[in-house]
Amino acid sequence: KGLKLVGFQRIGCHMVFDVKMDFTRKARFVAGGHTTDPPPCLTYASVVSRESVRIAFLIAALNDLDVSSADIGNAYLNADCAERI
C-alpha cells in the first residue's frame, strides 16, 4: 500500500453484481466506475447461485470428494485510457 510507482496513477476498482428484470444475473469489474458507463452488451458474466454452491458442497461431502477452487482474472477494456497503467 505504501509503494508508489513513478509515472503511474492509482485507479479505484470494484465489482458490480446485478439481477435483471428477466432474472438473468450480471457481474462486471469496474475500474474508475464513476467516470465511465459500462457497455451493456460486453460486460456479461454468469453468477452462480448460493443454492447451487451448497448442493455441490453437499454432493462432495457425501461422496468424500476434494473441493478445489480457482480465481480467474479477466479484464476487457473497451475504451482508450489516458493514464499510464
Side-chain angles (χ1 to χ4, degrees):
K1 193 150 182 157
L3 179 64
K4 184 171 181 177
L5 299 174
V6 177
F8 292 87
Q9 180 180 0
R10 180 183 294 257
I11 299 175
C13 306
H14 63 277
M15 291 294 297
V16 176
F17 299 96
D18 193 15
V19 178
K20 300 296 181 180
M21 294 299 290
D22 60 352
F23 299 107
T24 57
R25 295 180 176 100
K26 305 250 179 170
R28 62 183 181 269
F29 182 72
V30 181
H34 61 284
T35 59
T36 60
D37 292 329
C41 63
L42 299 176
T43 56
Y44 176 76
S46 62
V47 178
V48 67
S49 68
R50 182 179 300 179
E51 292 81 14
S52 298
V53 172
R54 291 185 68 160
I55 290 171
F57 284 153
L58 173 68
I59 292 171
L62 291 175
N63 294 304
D64 196 29
L65 300 173
D66 293 331
V67 178
S68 301
S69 67
D71 186 14
I72 309 298
N74 292 326
Y76 298 97
L77 300 176
N78 297 311
D80 295 331
C81 184
E83 295 86 6
R84 288 180 49 192
I85 299 176

